Amino acid sequence: MKLGRRDFIKLSCATVGALAVGSTAKAQLFPGGFPNPFRPPPGKWFEGDVTTSYSYCEMCFWKCGMKVSVEGGKVRKVDGYVENPKSRGMLCPRGQAAPATTYDPDRLKKPLIRVEGSERGAGQYREASWDEAFDYIAEKMFAIRDEHGTESVAFMGHGTGDEWFASYLPGAWGTPNAAKPSVSLCTAPRETASVYTFGRGIAGHEQIDWDETDYIVLIGHHIGEDTHNTQLQQFAQALTRGAELVVVDPRFSVAAAKAKDWLPIKPATDTALLLAWINVLIEEEIYDAEYVEKYTLGFEQLAEHAAQYTPEWAEAITEIPADTIRRIAREMAAHAPRAVLPVGRHVVWYGHDDSHRMRALYFVNILLGNYGMPGGYFLCDAPIVDTFPAPELPLAPAAGGCGSGPVEVGDSPFRPSVDRGKFFGTATSVQEFIEPMITGEPYPVKGLFAYGVNLFHSIPMVERTKEALRHLDLYVAIDILPMEHVMWADVILPECTFLERHDDLNLVAHKTPFIQARFPAVEPMYDSKPAWWIARELGIKLGLGEYFPWEDIEEYLDRRLSSIGSSLEAMAEQGTIVRRGRPYIADWERLNRNPFDTPSGQLEFYSERFAEAGLDPLPVFIDPMEGPSGYYRLLYGRSPVHTFARTHNNAVLMEMESENSVWLNTREAERLGVSHLEYVYLENQDGVVEGPVRANVTERIRQDCVYITHGYGHKAPLMKLANGRGASDTHLQTRYDLDPYSGGAGLRNNWVRIVPGAPDPQHKPIAQLVRERSQA
Amino acid sequence: MTTAPQTTPIATDLAVLDLLLQLIAGTYRSPADALRDDLASGALAEACSALAEALDLDAPGFQAPVWTTLQAAYVDLFVSSGNGVAAPPYVGYAIDGELMGPSAQLLGAAFSDHGIELQDAWSDLPDHVAAVAEGGTLLAHSARPEAAHALLEGYLAPWFERYATAIEAKDVSGFYAPMTKFLQAAIKEVTREARS
Amino acid sequence: MSRMAMAIDLAACVGCAACSVACKHENEVPIGVNRLWIRNTTIGTFPNLVTEFRPEQCLHCENPPCVPVCPTGCCFVRADGIVDIEPMKCIGCSACIAACPYDARYMHPDGYVSKCDYCKHRVEKGELPACVTTCPTLCRSFGDLDDPDSDVSIALRGARRVDLLRPGLGTGPKLYYLNAPAKFGLVGEEGQRSS
Ligand code: SF4
Ligand code: SF4
Ligand code: SF4
């Protein structure tokens, strides 16, 4: 072989800029040759040079303190550490699987811009530099501002970085349309109810004093299936210690399997049961009279109101025998105040009923005298760490968190958020932002940022969401994986995974409040960047540089930590700083302080404020919506190995549970001729079909409802492991009922029928897909 | 397990090897102005013809592709795709089935032994096929053809074996498919000649 | 000499599989095979039901049927009672896989047999196995049976009931199931249809 006259042609494109000759001295020592690649067995990672660093987990939003082991430049293992009050040395399956997400080959790698003229959703992209991507975004944002005002850009965020994208940047830019799905699609009713009852929110990680309690009543609370690490630990320890457990659930949940009493309640009637318990506690005078006398307001009205809610009345509604209702109430009272009805996390069930149910739940707890008492609900606040000195934002951040309401727009120059006035509470509601994108009412929403929010697997009415996206002038997605909604964006910005980045301090309201820090264990792979960097660089492009006066995150964190006498260096050694809390009322009374921030300073049974707004001042039972005949109410919940719809491309977790199944009562299955593990379709009341999904024919559920775990049924082929497996509850949620108090979207008002005879989709085993992915 | 025999140094035509590696680097790097210029000026086609002539192969028959189509095809094939990335562009992944796995680590160490270092500006993994090919040209230029050759045979060839068919099946640009086919044939030719 | 053993409290286990995922990363267990898996069974009729979540793995039997069948001697019992495999000596003949009545062994894609080794590398450093460390319900205890103060000895003494997996086989497992939720002990054997 010979090259002819064209010897040594130089291609300009052949210079990649990846590698260069560095130390020639070193090279000269090397005799030449190149080693053959090899396959294992190399040494085990733990025999190598292992370094560890501190982080906190982001596989779900419980954020357990984590220690990350790195060997050979790669994250090998993650563990909890005992000094951290959230992990306490342990991690749940999702946390343990964190490295598999970082090394997921499907990850987003570069900023991408949708090819000019291609349709949203067609998935045609070109690579761009960060600079070009930011310029593109800034230009569109300025155009929206000039035509419609800054408020016409909406922000949605979920995950640690949402502080930047759903709070800080919107505040700096000037839009109140910033929301987190973790509020109106999850916790909103319990927060509104809590603020209006206790004068305090429920701290993000439910403030249940598991370690001290003797009697637990769970209402539709899926501990063990939602593996919120600390909560699961404490729950299990309480049971091991001998605490008694009662579970109210239409389904024999994992928690129910641990219970002494399982009350298989008719779905959507929980409020009736709670009202009956209030009735029994008061009628039989077994409530904590001293506590009620000392700390509450409106007991007389409550007693009068609850007189109508007898156990017999509740039996007819809930299908739980009146005797059982009475017996459990007496048992609770016997164990009070070390008896507790924990508040759940995802409480947007039936909409119109949700805040009533939450208030009724709190009232039972108050009657047991357990709020602020050992074995009930403890009191907690997040530790205070100064913010980095920066000019005040033009608009106070609006999104609110799990535990707080947003600030009223008041007489600021900005228009109120598009959902203002639709409901009583002050949260902002993600799902209420969608309609204005289509109708332009009350004013147009033309731009959207989605940070870590899965638009098609969290917000009900998916087709409406898609329609709304088509109306936008700008849609930016910031994410880790190419989820389906991401591949609709005009600009896709790849975030690095939490193992590769710093983040802001995590200030945790806990029995022992604490501060935890996240350090990158490895450099970001590809051209992915941390949220703080993306927000700051974009802020600078938008002319908002004054609000980001730090050079880098190290400076930012160090400055914040210095306000509590610590430093970034100290945190790198320590990971967590634990503070003393004031968990019980007595701790506050010693300081002559009142923990209840209600207008009356008391725990309020009767709410004047609700009455003034024309709402029910006391919780009532409202007849649930009924479904068409032949349909089952669609209930949904969690798998212990998955988080929302975000972990379904993680090979390790997918191998543990690769598809969901629809739980169907044995007798119903017989009637329909459906056999166990057969594939069926689910068709909802509006004709939307999901599946094929396996039928789990089981005794573990009532006959009037079916159940699937959330997060399956991905429709993006790029999510190679997740695509097309199981059924999506969100896609079957084509209606929701707005809670008039909190703005929460009640999602369990959808019904499905079972359509037998779906073809077996012949899913390949995950192991085979993993092999094929690497070896095409 | 180590299966391939240790490659013995061979007398190879350095210019041919260099050109092949340059073409691999040039083809699979992110499509930017440099590639656009090489396509527009005909330099790339000319280089292909030269290599084809030297190896007695048919030159790849690609038309000047629509630039935005080529860019979108690149993202679709190698970066992020609505249908699954056809060809993750990492040679270690093709060998180990794992990102940053043992082969990628070995490769990095070997480059470093040869005094070749990763540039700060490079924002992708070090075993990206374009980067590895560039490393090969550096080896070739510093007169270490046997190392460049081992790199081609041990690390680049397996990537083509794994992904060439997928690229040919999924490419819509009319550029990546013929180039991949051509480059794979060229690699076969060069490694065959080297062994014989 | 010691006899390392594990006990799992089935009254606490929720079948979350944190143990299994931890094992996967700790021991670089390939996708497609597992050292540790969860069997989840329900018996009874609505609303009188019992659901058992039972993690299964190598039981480190005192009379391990897998060891004597190995032609190369790569399967052996360590001095601390851990049943172990020397992968470099394994010829991949699969005799031990067939001999194990609990299906604890698998073929590693690299051609040797592997299984749970009670995380011997951790135990040797005085640490607990990865699955024990991470379990969020704290239902796993580990230690030396010959030491009355070990976690496992304490857990065994405190248990309401103790069960072995298929005790009739005489394998003498050193993995104990505590406080099985059903009155009669462990629920059925594999293949039992869940209700
Ligand atoms: S509960 Fe699990 S996934 Fe969530 S933060 Fe903790 S370890 Fe991570
Ligand atoms: S981690 Fe613990 S609770 Fe979870 S399945 Fe394993 S043994 Fe059971
Ligand atoms: S002891 Fe170690 S090897 Fe055995 S199952 Fe537990 S984690 Fe896996």
Side-chain angles (χ1 to χ4, degrees):
Chain A
M1 68 183 170
K2 274 272 170 293
L3 264 186
R5 63 192 163 78
R6 297 187 198 83
D7 278 5
F8 302 113
I9 285 173
K10 281 287 171 288
L11 294 170
S12 54
C13 70
T15 314
V16 178
L19 299 164
V21 177
S23 130
T24 36
K26 191 174 177 189
Q28 269 146 22
L29 291 177
F30 201 73
F34 216 77
N36 278 316
F38 67 100
R39 289 190 45 76
K44 295 274 188 194
W45 69 270
F46 45 74
E47 289 159 358
D49 195 3
V50 180
T51 56
T52 62
S53 56
Y54 286 107
S55 185
Y56 53 87
C57 181
E58 186 86 16
M59 292 300 283
C60 84
F61 306 105
W62 200 259
K63 298 179 184 165
C64 299
M66 182 185 261
K67 244 179 157 162
V68 186
S69 295
V70 171
E71 185 270 336
K74 192 168 176 180
V75 175
R76 303 295 178 169
K77 181 87 197 320
V78 294
D79 289 289
Y81 59 102
V82 282
E83 298 81 5
N84 182 275
K86 231 167 241 326
S87 71
R88 314 195 309 172
M90 296 159 248
L91 294 176
C92 86
R94 301 159 301 160
Q96 281 291 353
T101 290
T102 296
Y103 299 106
D104 182 338
D106 284 340
R107 262 179 66 178
L108 293 169
K109 303 176 179 80
K110 310 251 166 152
L112 299 174
I113 296 180
R114 187 161 55 83
V115 169
E116 209 66 41
S118 70
E119 288 282 305
R120 284 202 178 97
Q124 294 213 307
Y125 289 91
R126 65 182 170 86
E127 288 187 341
S129 67
W130 281 95
D131 210 43
E132 189 190 358
F134 289 142
D135 279 336
Y136 181 103
I137 295 168
E139 192 185 310
K140 298 262 180 168
M141 283 179 79
F142 291 143
I144 294 170
R145 178 193 63 194
D146 294 346
E147 196 180 341
H148 304 284
T150 51
E151 304 91 336
S152 289
V153 179
F155 289 77
M156 297 177 182
H158 201 193
T160 302
D162 68 9
E163 284 305 315
W164 299 114
F165 286 102
S167 294
Y168 202 81
L169 194 57
W173 169 253
T175 177
N177 294 310
K180 304 179 182 184
S182 52
V183 181
S184 69
L185 297 174
C186 195
T187 59
R190 73 173 202 183
E191 297 305 327
T192 302
S194 179
V195 167
Y196 285 85
T197 303
F198 305 128
R200 310 172 63 87
I202 294 290
H205 302 130
E206 299 76 31
Q207 55 205 82
I208 307 302
D209 201 10
W210 301 102
D211 295 345
E212 301 288 337
T213 199
D214 295 332
Y215 193 91
I216 303 162
V217 182
L218 295 181
I219 306 205
H221 193 322
H222 300 166
I223 301 184
E225 286 156 301
D226 51 8
T227 36
H228 295 142
N229 189 4
T230 332
Q231 186 178 70
L232 176 57
Q233 294 175 25
Q234 293 176 305
F235 168 76
Q237 279 176 305
L239 298 186
T240 303
R241 197 162 38 73
E244 290 178 34
L245 174 67
V246 176
V247 171
V248 179
D249 202 312
R251 185 176 64 93
F252 191 69
S253 61
V254 167
K258 307 293 180 194
K260 79 176 182 68
D261 279 292
W262 171 43
L263 313 184
I265 193 168
K266 180 168 187 228
T269 67
D270 310 75
T271 309
L273 174 65
L274 290 160
L275 291 169
W277 277 337
I278 292 171
N279 172 290
V280 177
L281 291 171
I282 296 175
E283 293 295 317
E284 300 193 2
E285 296 186 9
I286 49 176
Y287 66 95
D288 187 335
E290 199 184 318
Y291 183 96
V292 165
E293 167 68 30
K294 193 166 169 196
Y295 298 115
T296 71
L297 184 77
F299 177 74
E300 295 308 318
Q301 285 114 314
L302 176 67
E304 201 179 306
H305 174 71
Q308 57 187 308
Y309 301 126
T310 61
E312 284 68 24
W313 165 83
E315 172 175 333
I317 294 167
T318 62
E319 299 180 9
I320 297 171
D323 285 350
T324 309
I325 298 175
R326 282 205 175 80
R327 172 172 62 82
I328 304 284
R330 289 172 193 150
E331 288 177 12
M332 283 180 212
H335 288 88
R338 292 175 188 270
V340 67
L341 287 73
V343 58
R345 173 161 276 244
H346 179 89
V347 293
V348 285
W349 294 355
Y350 311 110
H352 60 272
D353 162 86
D354 289 336
S355 286
H356 291 301
R357 187 180 72 251
M358 287 296 106
R359 295 235 301 150
L361 178 93
Y362 297 148
F363 289 6
V364 177
N365 283 293
I366 297 173
L367 292 171
L368 296 171
N370 76 19
Y371 189 78
M373 293 293 176
Y377 283 54
F378 60 75
L379 309 171
C380 59
D381 294 289
I384 293 170
V385 178
D386 288 353
T387 54
F388 193 100
E392 196 182 336
L393 297 178
L395 181 63
C402 285
S404 57
V407 181
E408 284 297 332
V409 177
D411 45 43
S412 88
F414 297 98
R415 283 176 288 182
S417 61
V418 286
D419 63 350
R420 186 58 66 238
K422 283 189 158 189
F423 47 87
F424 179 78
T426 49
T428 41
S429 279
V430 154
Q431 77 280 356
E432 303 307 312
F433 289 4
I434 304 295
E435 203 69 26
M437 295 178 191
I438 300 171
T439 63
E441 299 297 332
Y443 57 84
V445 171
K446 284 294 177 190
L448 173 66
F449 279 75
Y451 170 84
V453 173
N454 194 322
L455 298 178
F456 301 162
H457 282 273
S458 61
I459 302 172
M461 303 169 72
V462 178
E463 285 309 315
R464 182 184 70 159
T465 307
K466 290 185 176 170
E467 174 65 16
L469 294 183
R470 290 192 192 98
H471 282 77
L472 294 174
D473 292 346
L474 173 69
Y475 165 30
V476 180
I478 304 148
D479 220 304
I480 281 167
L481 283 162
M483 309 274 186
E484 190 188 3
H485 73 282
V486 170
M487 299 310 276
W488 277 62
D490 302 335
V491 183
I492 299 172
L493 303 178
E495 196 188 11
C496 54
T497 65
F498 78 97
L499 294 173
E500 306 162 278
R501 66 183 200 234
H502 280 103
D503 263 305
D504 206 345
L505 300 172
N506 185 218
L507 311 177
V508 187
H510 195 74
K511 201 169 173 185
T512 52
F514 66 97
I515 301 152
Q516 55 183 355
R518 176 179 284 163
F519 294 88
V522 288
E523 290 286 305
M525 290 167 77
Y526 321 111
D527 208 1
S528 61
K529 298 283 185 187
W532 69 265
W533 184 91
I534 302 172
R536 181 171 182 273
E537 296 295 316
L538 180 59
I540 292 169
K541 282 274 189 211
L542 293 171
L544 307 170
E546 59 174 316
Y547 301 110
F548 298 89
W550 47 87
E551 276 305 307
D552 53 30
I553 194 77
E554 283 94 340
E555 180 192 349
Y556 174 91
L557 292 171
D558 199 54
R559 177 71 184 254
R560 289 198 71 189
L561 285 163
S562 71
S563 77
I564 53 161
S566 181
S567 67
L568 196 58
E569 209 182 321
M571 266 322 242
E573 294 300 312
Q574 192 177 4
T576 302
I577 297 174
V578 182
R579 291 289 162 91
R580 264 233 319 273
R582 285 194 297 267
Y584 304 125
I585 296 174
D587 299 316
W588 291 69
E589 286 174 343
R590 260 197 300 282
L591 302 168
N592 282 319
R593 290 187 54 190
N594 179 1
F596 313 131
D597 191 16
T598 54
S600 63
Q602 304 255 291
L603 303 178
E604 295 189 353
F605 287 127
Y606 183 90
S607 174
E608 290 287 354
R609 289 174 290 173
F610 287 165
E612 278 164 21
L615 297 165
D616 287 305
L618 288 161
V620 297
F621 174 72
I622 304 166
D623 282 330
M625 296 165 91
E626 290 297 341
S629 80
Y631 285 71
Y632 303 92
R633 192 184 284 270
L634 177 65
L635 305 179
Y636 53 83
R638 297 278 294 273
S639 155
V641 296
H642 287 295
T643 299
F644 315 133
R646 6 176 90 212
T647 50
H648 294 71
N649 211 53
N650 179 306
V652 173
L653 295 177
M654 266 314 247
E655 192 189 17
M656 296 292 154
E657 196 164 338
S658 65
E659 56 183 298
N660 61 358
S661 59
V662 54
W663 293 37
L664 177 65
N665 178 280
T666 317
R667 272 156 296 284
E668 294 301 310
E670 271 161 23
R671 208 169 53 73
L672 297 168
V674 171
S675 53
H676 188 51
L677 297 182
E678 166 185 341
Y679 279 96
V680 298
Y681 290 112
L682 301 179
E683 182 183 351
N684 84 348
Q685 71 281 341
D686 295 320
V688 172
V689 176
E690 274 288 308
V693 57
R694 281 189 197 277
N696 173 22
V697 175
T698 179
E699 293 288 321
R700 289 176 64 183
I701 191 162
R702 287 172 56 98
Q703 286 174 252
D704 51 7
C705 49
V706 295
Y707 168 89
I708 57 178
T709 45
H710 173 72
Y712 289 88
H714 279 253
K715 319 240 180 295
L718 183 51
M719 301 283 291
K720 276 189 196 151
L721 304 187
N723 182 36
R725 285 179 185 258
S728 157
D729 55 332
T730 310
H731 285 75
L732 292 167
Q733 287 158 355
T734 50
R735 67 163 77 155
Y736 64 88
D737 191 27
L738 194 67
D739 174 13
Y741 291 76
S742 71
L747 299 174
R748 296 187 182 172
N749 298 311
N750 288 278
W751 285 266
V752 294
R753 68 187 191 92
I754 307 281
V755 185
D760 183 337
Q762 314 261 330
H763 292 307
K764 291 176 183 167
I766 296 296
Q768 187 182 339
L769 284 177
V770 167
R771 252 193 323 276
E772 286 175 5
R773 188 163 67 169
S774 60
Q775 303 169 3
Chain B
M1 308 274 172
T2 306
T3 46
Q6 190 67 40
T7 318
T8 43
I10 35 80
T12 190
D13 187 321
L14 189 56
V16 170
L17 187 56
D18 185 24
L19 186 54
L20 171 55
L21 289 163
Q22 283 194 44
L23 274 170
I24 297 173
T27 302
Y28 301 106
R29 85 170 283 194
S30 180
D33 290 349
L35 179 61
R36 199 212 283 246
D37 292 348
D38 284 336
L39 283 167
S41 69
L44 192 92
E46 217 182 311
C48 289
S49 311
L51 185 66
E53 199 178 300
L55 296 173
D56 201 14
L57 293 168
D58 291 336
F62 58 83
Q63 310 291 309
V66 181
W67 184 244
T68 50
T69 310
L70 183 141
Q71 284 182 309
Y74 184 82
V75 170
D76 194 60
L77 291 169
F78 306 115
V79 186
S80 291
S81 153
N83 299 304
V85 192
Y90 309 108
V91 302
Y93 190 68
I95 298 167
D96 302 330
E98 175 188 359
L99 290 170
M100 298 174 74
S103 299
Q105 288 191 23
L106 196 68
L107 180 66
F111 271 131
S112 152
D113 284 343
H114 281 274
I116 293 171
E117 287 162 5
L118 198 64
Q119 301 281 83
D120 285 346
W122 179 247
S123 61
D124 212 316
L125 300 187
D127 66 335
H128 191 287
V129 61
V132 175
E134 182 181 44
T137 66
L138 297 174
L139 290 171
H141 287 157
S142 48
R144 260 165 294 179
E146 67 293 343
H149 198 276
L151 182 74
L152 183 70
E153 184 164 14
Y155 294 86
L156 288 164
W159 184 81
F160 280 87
E161 270 160 40
R162 293 271 186 258
Y163 294 122
T165 326
I167 295 169
E168 282 161 37
K170 298 229 173 110
D171 174 44
V172 293
S173 70
F175 173 70
Y176 291 108
M179 277 306 286
T180 302
K181 196 170 175 194
F182 171 66
L183 292 170
Q184 192 186 18
I187 292 173
K188 279 205 184 110
E189 197 54 32
V190 168
T191 50
R192 187 185 60 78
E193 285 197 18
R195 255 200 290 275
S196 62
Chain C
M1 289 292 280
S2 46
R3 289 191 300 146
M4 302 316 275
M6 198 179 281
I8 304 178
D9 182 353
L10 298 185
C13 175
V14 293
C16 72
C19 47
S20 188
V21 178
C23 179
K24 199 114 203 165
H25 283 282
E26 179 74 28
N27 297 300
E28 297 175 297
V29 180
I31 303 280
V33 288
N34 280 301
R35 290 184 174 199
L36 162 48
W37 60 97
I38 320 291
R39 197 179 297 282
N40 166 348
T41 331
T42 298
I43 51 171
T45 49
F46 183 98
N48 301 308
L49 300 168
V50 172
T51 297
E52 179 192 274
F53 307 97
R54 186 169 79 211
E56 294 186 4
Q57 61 200 75
C58 170
L59 310 153
H60 299 272
C61 309
E62 307 227 52
N63 307 308
C66 51
V67 169
V69 300
C70 175
T72 67
C74 75
C75 297
F76 63 104
V77 184
R78 289 159 43 112
D80 58 6
I82 294 175
V83 177
D84 202 7
I85 299 163
E86 172 52 68
M88 297 315 276
K89 279 202 228 154
C90 173
I91 55 168
C93 75
S94 302
C96 57
I97 297 184
C100 171
Y102 305 106
D103 262 348
R105 295 175 167 241
Y106 59 86
M107 183 63 73
H108 192 283
D110 285 344
Y112 56 88
V113 169
S114 194
K115 66 165 190 71
C116 163
D117 60 5
Y118 273 171
C119 288
K120 58 175 190 273
H121 61 285
R122 295 174 63 104
V123 174
E124 283 161 8
K125 283 190 280 178
E127 293 170 6
L128 292 168
C131 55
V132 177
T133 302
T134 211
C135 171
T137 69
L138 295 91
C139 72
R140 290 170 173 264
S141 29
F142 184 80
D144 181 1
L145 281 182
D146 291 339
D147 172 3
D149 296 328
S150 70
D151 290 351
V152 74
S153 301
I154 294 169
L156 282 166
R157 277 200 303 278
R160 177 169 48 73
R161 67 172 290 150
V162 178
D163 285 287
L164 293 175
L165 202 53
R166 292 196 250 161
L169 298 174
T171 49
K174 291 202 298 306
L175 181 131
Y176 301 89
Y177 293 106
L178 313 183
N179 307 326
K183 284 195 190 70
F184 53 82
L186 297 180
V187 175
E189 294 301 342
E190 58 267 38
Q192 174 159 357
R193 165 89 161 68
S194 62
S195 48

